[in-house]
Amino acid sequence: MLLITGATGHVGRALVQELNRRGAGFRALVRSPRPELPAEQVVRDLDGPLDLSGVDKVFLLVPGTGLEHTANVVAAARRAGVRQIVYLSSYAVLGDPVPAMGRWHHERERLIADSGIAATFLRPTGFMTNAFDWLPTIRAGGYVLDPIGPGRMAPIDPADIAAVAATVLVEDGHEKQAYTLTGPEAFTVAEQVAILSTAIGRALDVRPIATPEEAVRFRYPEGAPAELAAALIEGLTLMRADTIGLRTDVVRRLTGRSPNTFSVWCKENAGQLS
């Protein structure tokens, strides 16, 4: 029996569908009943003690910062004898030194690894679904803001993350492994916008943002908390400096198929992005 947290998000919804397709036994942890979710549901949050009796493996997705939710899951997993935790981390933990955005994930990874429970860490790059964040400026003025200029990244379809997660949950042999997941192609923001423009049949402009500080001010016009602002500035600076873009073949190796391309993803979601 598997327990899936974050079952209503981009990765979680795709993971539920993939596990259903494979005929796996699982439960979805949700804050409130979701009739549209095709899964046995456990109505609960991660703020307090959990009962994981009868659960063999946990897919753990923890939004935001802090260790409280992860600690609650780990404690419950130890009490229940859970055999494996598959944690959705981030490729940001690979930095040396680890940047602030990666440190939150890194601390959670350490907490899970130190628990004595077999762990698998999935470390994806930025999601293709992050393109939805461009919708306000696309709809308001037909443009996308570009805070990283020459920087490149290989965005990944959340469905591919879900396919990998399903594989490591239902198959043996992935314990004590860490997998870095990327899409097949590395792009600048301008190149992604050009692809999106073709998919939706609408010309889109790209407006460069001169500095990471300016990008943070635009995103948080009322001001961001100091810690968050510093982390965002650091992250955008690192992204601007990476003009190659990390790519791996892990999705192909673990699922037996090529990861989705950004072009295909844009065509699949064109109706929501125009």
Side-chain angles (χ1 to χ4, degrees), residues 17-37:
Q17 294 170 358
E18 183 69 18
L19 291 173
N20 268 329
R21 187 183 67 80
R22 297 186 183 211
F26 68 97
R27 303 167 186 154
L29 188 74
V30 294
R31 289 180 177 270
S32 58
R34 303 295 291 264
E36 77 281 6
L37 197 64

Side-chain angles (χ1 to χ4, degrees), residues 55-60 73-74 77-78 81-88 108-122 168-169 171-179:
V55 173
D56 299 302
K57 300 181 180 183
V58 173
F59 174 77
L60 180 59
V73 172
V74 167
R78 294 182 68 178
V82 168
R83 294 189 290 112
Q84 182 184 11
I85 296 176
V86 177
Y87 172 59
L88 184 61
R108 292 169 184 165
E109 286 190 7
R110 289 184 59 184
L111 180 62
I112 295 167
D114 290 344
S115 71
I117 300 171
T120 307
F121 300 134
L122 306 183
V168 302
L169 284 165
E171 293 182 356
D172 293 326
H174 299 284
E175 299 81 0
K176 299 182 180 180
Q177 299 294 319
Y179 296 120

Side-chain angles (χ1 to χ4, degrees), residues 6 34 36 80 130 134 163 166 170 177 215 218 221-222 234 244 260:
R34 303 295 291 264
E36 77 281 6
N130 290 345
W134 299 337
V170 303
Q177 299 294 319
F218 180 88
E222 303 301 321
E234 180 188 31
I244 297 175
N260 203 10

Side-chain angles (χ1 to χ4, degrees), residues 3-8 28-33 41-52 58-63 68-74 76 79:
L3 180 72
I4 310 303
T5 69
T8 59
L29 188 74
V30 294
R31 289 180 177 270
S32 58
Q41 298 179 30
V42 178
V43 180
R44 185 80 201 173
D45 59 34
L46 302 180
D47 293 331
L50 301 168
D51 182 2
L52 300 184
V58 173
F59 174 77
L60 180 59
L61 189 160
V62 183
E68 179 185 2
H69 289 173
T70 304
N72 290 342
V73 172
V74 167
R79 290 193 299 269

